[in-house]
Amino acid sequence: MKRRRIGVLTGGGDCAGLNPAIKWVVKTALDDRLQAERGIQCEVIGIHDGWKGLLFDETTQEEYITPLTREMVNTWDRYGGTMLGTTRTNPYEKGKDRSRLVLNNIGKLGLDALVIIGGEDTLGVACKLAREGVNVIGIPKTIDKDLSETDYTLGFDTALNVITEEVDKLRTTAGSHKRIFVLETMGRYAGWLALEGGESAGAYIILIPEYDFSVDKVNELVMEGKAAGARYNIIMAAEGAKPAGGREFVKGEVADDFGHKPLGGIAEYLAEQIRKATGLDSRGIVLGYIQRGGAPSAYDRRMGRYFGIAAVDLVVAEDFGKMVCFKAGKIACCDIQNVVGRLSLVNTETQYDIERYNGRRTIFYRKEEKSKVPADSKRC
Ligand code: F6P
């Protein structure tokens, strides 16, 4: 019987869906029937606090390293966040490279494979370690859904549900006071959260980083809505959206280990612009970290499960340097090196209405096509 010791860690911003993925890595790797069938006996080692957990020394090893059992993880899929903890530690940080220590510790722990549940930054580190000979498998997670090569990243669906529920709550007070609310979502440089959150919640205007907006146009649309009888309106603005000719709004100048400055401020800015130009009572509201919180939705639990199982399958097959993904409705895998260095962004030609600053209003119709309903759509 072969023996395999698998490390698992979560890195970057937390979100719902991480615990289901950890649980199913453990349950699959330690499944008696599968182990017998595959002739592999597995151990799973939980690494705490992302890459920071692999920077341990003799005095801190115990704090960061925990063997995981099936019993321990049994109920984890019901909970948000990550039971393993997370940080934005970058072992390859410019001017402070600690990657040798990480490599030594991977050796010290005797890890045959490392399952990394993370977004662009965390998987970027995984990719570098893979080049140094570490057997890595990635699992995509981020509420921003900005990873290339996958149609889904863990945490996104739960965050959309949070946004939709919060907008529902906002509507009653917005209606009572006849206010315009500008709601700022997370998402960094990608507009998926604002766009799909805005579509789910029925926002009147949606502003995304992929299309610079005109403040005048926003004001025109607001006045148009009012003239059409709207008592109030909800504007969804991604934290990375910016006015034409302007820059993203940043909350502070201190960047994290990966060089990202914290974004934020667009909601207040825009609410003030609307107030000044239209005289309407306008307020900015920042949804913030609650988008990352709460119990995972049914979809995140199920996707976490599939991704966790698929990751262990790849370990067993010794098909390393891969990220499990969701592509065209199927769980699949791709080279991790194709994921890092390029974000998946909203296509403003096919997924955004640049006239109304909103989601698309046509699914099959294309302006340049003569027939309004193309042949394949008739089959639906
Ligand atoms: O990447 C996830 C995310 O929530 C972004 O949407 C947001 O800009 C960022 O993390 C916030 O990071 P932090 O947790 O470091 O404040």
Side-chain angles (χ1 to χ4, degrees):
M1 191 103 148
K2 284 193 272 186
R3 285 174 170 274
R4 289 288 176 269
R5 183 174 277 192
I6 306 167
V8 58
L9 66 81
T10 52
D14 79 329
C15 62
L18 298 171
N19 285 322
I22 303 166
K23 166 174 168 171
W24 284 98
V25 166
V26 176
K27 295 275 276 187
T28 313
L30 304 186
D31 183 291
D32 291 333
R33 186 174 53 93
L34 288 176
Q35 291 191 102
E37 207 173 275
R38 294 165 169 181
I40 300 180
Q41 196 175 4
C42 294
E43 264 180 280
V44 184
I45 306 294
I47 297 154
H48 294 265
D49 298 351
W51 295 116
K52 187 176 178 195
L54 284 172
L55 292 169
F56 61 80
D57 56 30
E58 299 83 65
T59 58
T60 56
Q61 176 163 349
E62 231 176 273
E63 194 185 317
Y64 290 112
I65 307 300
T66 316
L68 299 174
T69 64
R70 282 179 298 182
E71 293 68 33
M72 280 165 86
V73 301
N74 246 343
T75 60
W76 284 15
D77 51 350
R78 299 169 208 165
Y79 303 105
T82 163
M83 298 292 190
L84 289 178
T86 184
T87 59
R88 292 199 185 275
T89 304
N90 178 7
Y92 290 95
E93 191 182 353
K94 254 197 194 146
K96 212 168 146 194
D97 193 321
R98 290 166 294 171
S99 56
R100 285 292 118 200
L101 181 54
V102 168
L103 287 164
N104 287 345
N105 282 341
I106 290 173
K108 222 183 248 174
L109 293 174
L111 298 180
D112 299 296
L114 192 52
V115 175
I116 297 118
I117 311 170
E120 154 84 2
D121 295 329
T122 305
L123 294 175
V125 173
C127 195
K128 287 181 182 158
L129 290 173
R131 283 189 209 119
E132 310 242 26
V134 179
N135 295 328
V136 303
I137 299 293
I139 294 182
K141 73 86 215 177
T142 165
I143 63 164
D144 305 343
K145 208 182 73 166
D146 59 355
L147 283 176
S148 299
E149 302 287 321
T150 185
D151 297 337
Y152 193 68
T153 59
L154 296 177
F156 183 70
D157 183 66
T158 307
L160 282 190
N161 284 318
V162 171
I163 292 172
T164 309
E165 284 160 20
E166 293 306 312
V167 171
D168 284 351
K169 289 178 194 150
L170 212 50
R171 283 183 186 282
T172 55
T173 175
S176 309
H177 290 267
K178 302 188 187 65
R179 278 179 174 149
I180 306 294
F181 269 104
V182 184
L183 188 101
E184 181 174 312
T185 67
M186 284 187 163
R188 216 167 243 163
Y189 308 112
W192 298 112
L193 261 187
L195 178 61
E196 295 187 37
E199 287 175 335
S200 309
Y204 176 56
I205 294 174
I206 302 172
L207 303 173
I208 57 174
E210 292 85 345
Y211 194 84
D212 292 354
F213 64 89
S214 135
V215 176
D216 290 344
K217 171 86 183 253
V218 169
N219 287 327
E220 267 167 38
L221 288 168
V222 167
M223 290 314 285
E224 207 178 292
K226 185 162 170 55
R231 264 188 320 134
Y232 71 92
N233 257 316
I234 305 287
I235 299 177
M236 189 81 72
E239 62 181 3
K242 54 185 188 308
R247 300 206 50 158
E248 291 102 4
F249 294 83
V250 292
K251 276 191 296 201
E253 286 306 311
V254 183
D256 66 19
D257 278 15
F258 292 90
H260 306 295
K261 285 184 186 164
L263 297 179
I266 186 166
E268 263 314 312
Y269 163 81
L270 199 57
E272 199 188 328
Q273 298 299 314
I274 295 169
R275 208 161 37 234
K276 276 189 194 151
T278 66
L280 295 173
D281 190 0
S282 314
R283 302 284 158 112
I285 168 166
V286 180
L287 257 189
Y289 293 96
I290 59 165
Q291 291 161 98
R292 302 214 309 233
S297 65
Y299 191 67
D300 272 319
R301 292 183 204 199
R302 210 155 47 82
M303 291 305 279
R305 175 182 178 129
Y306 299 152
F307 282 165
I309 293 171
V312 174
D313 283 353
L314 290 176
V315 171
V316 169
E318 299 186 1
D319 196 357
F320 297 115
K322 295 281 160 64
M323 181 186 82
V324 300
C325 59
F326 186 62
K327 243 349 206 184
K330 289 205 172 97
I331 303 293
C333 66
C334 59
D335 286 336
I336 212 165
Q337 61 182 13
N338 294 339
V339 176
V340 297
R342 58 193 187 98
L343 295 178
S344 159
L345 300 174
V346 174
N347 180 335
T348 53
E349 275 174 29
T350 56
Q351 292 163 317
Y352 187 65
D353 183 339
I354 58 169
E355 299 295 322
R356 298 179 199 228
Y357 289 169
N358 210 307
R360 63 189 166 167
R361 285 286 172 91
T362 59
I363 302 287
F364 297 123
Y365 176 79
R366 294 272 173 278
K367 260 190 192 159
E368 64 275 12
E369 284 167 12
K370 288 219 172 73
S371 152
K372 285 194 177 175
V373 182
D376 358 340
S377 69
K378 288 183 184 143
R379 278 189 253 120
C380 311

